[in-house]
């Protein structure tokens, strides 16, 4: 049975009774949505979105071109461009030509951008800790280890799948 947008979650079917209880993709999607909702709420006071925060954190790490930034955060270059447009309009990022390649742009955080990024990071870390704090330390470490394994090893680059999803 499919539910309409106006129908809430059916809490009568919990745990092992749920028809998707064993579907790893569905479980990961639900966890992703929950973490995203919590982090987005934490970011509201800073005025940046999750995607903008990812980009800002990456820019705090080291100087890079827009193309390098896109590859690092695994966000399509057209989306990176739009995200940087938004951050630039807010005075959080400036873009200059790359001294090695005048066709490339090199975004950097402004002083205000660095300050907002630090505030946003504190807010999102608290939201994550609130969620991860529901696990005991061994569960938390295992959960993070598994996520890191799949992110940085098994699925380090899945561009064909993400391209196909956009169609």
């Amino acid at each position: 049975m499919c539910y309409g947008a106006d129908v809430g979650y059916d809490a009568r079917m919990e745990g092992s009774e749920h028809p998707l209880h064993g579907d790893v993709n569905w479980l990961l999607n639900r966890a992703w949505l929950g973490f995203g909702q919590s982090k987005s709420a934490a970011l509201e006071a800073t005025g940046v979105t999750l995607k903008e925060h990812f980009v800002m954190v990456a820019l705090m790490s080291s100087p890079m071109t827009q193309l390098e930034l896109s590859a690092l955060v695994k966000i399509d270059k057209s989306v990176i461009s739009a995200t940087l447009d938004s951050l630039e309009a807010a005075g959080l990022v400036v873009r200059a030509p790359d001294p090695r390649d005048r066709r490339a742009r090199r975004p950097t955080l402004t002083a205000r951008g660095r300050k907002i990024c630090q505030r946003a990071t504190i807010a999102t870390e608290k939201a994550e800790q609130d969620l991860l704090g529901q696990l005991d330390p061994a569960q938390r470490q295992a959960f993070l280890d598994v996520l890191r394994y799949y992110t940085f090893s098994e699925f380090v680059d899945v561009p064909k799948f993400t391209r196909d999803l956009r169609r």
Side-chain angles (χ1 to χ4, degrees):
M1 170 185 282
C2 291
Y3 296 104
D6 59 337
V7 177
Y9 176 72
D10 185 355
R12 294 172 296 178
M13 203 175 283
E14 292 293 326
S16 62
E17 296 177 3
H18 196 284
L20 295 169
H21 173 264
D23 188 304
V24 175
N25 192 283
W26 184 79
L27 293 169
L28 286 170
N29 183 264
R30 299 303 304 163
W32 172 72
L33 290 170
F35 270 81
Q37 183 175 353
S38 293
K39 287 182 78 166
S40 290
L43 285 170
E44 280 182 17
T46 66
V48 297
T49 67
L50 266 175
K51 198 175 300 172
E52 290 169 341
H53 184 241
F54 294 152
V55 167
M56 293 171 77
V57 168
L59 290 174
M60 290 279 278
S61 68
S62 67
M64 65 191 83
T65 66
Q66 276 186 221
L67 199 53
E68 292 165 335
L69 176 63
S70 174
L72 179 66
V73 295
K74 306 292 186 202
I75 296 175
D76 185 81
K77 59 187 176 184
S78 65
V79 176
I80 284 291
S81 184
T83 304
L84 288 169
D85 287 347
S86 174
L87 290 168
E88 194 169 37
L92 304 177
V93 166
V94 293
R95 288 183 272 196
D98 185 331
R100 297 173 297 164
D101 180 355
R102 294 176 54 82
R103 296 168 297 171
R105 304 307 253 163
R106 188 172 284 273
T108 57
L109 290 171
T110 62
R112 182 169 172 261
R114 285 190 298 280
K115 191 180 298 185
I116 296 287
C117 182
Q118 290 166 345
R119 282 188 26 226
T121 298
I122 290 168
T124 60
E125 285 174 352
K126 181 176 179 346
E128 282 183 4
Q129 291 310 311
D130 288 348
L131 290 167
L132 293 173
Q134 297 175 39
L135 304 174
D136 69 47
Q139 289 174 316
R140 182 177 27 240
Q141 190 59 52
F143 178 69
L144 293 172
D145 287 346
V146 167
L147 287 176
R148 288 180 184 120
Y149 167 76
Y150 282 111
T151 300
F152 298 113
S153 298
E154 186 69 20
F155 303 125
V156 70
D157 196 20
V158 288
K160 181 185 180 323
F161 179 73
T162 54
R163 271 195 312 272
D164 291 349
L165 281 178
R166 286 193 298 261
R167 289 185 188 158

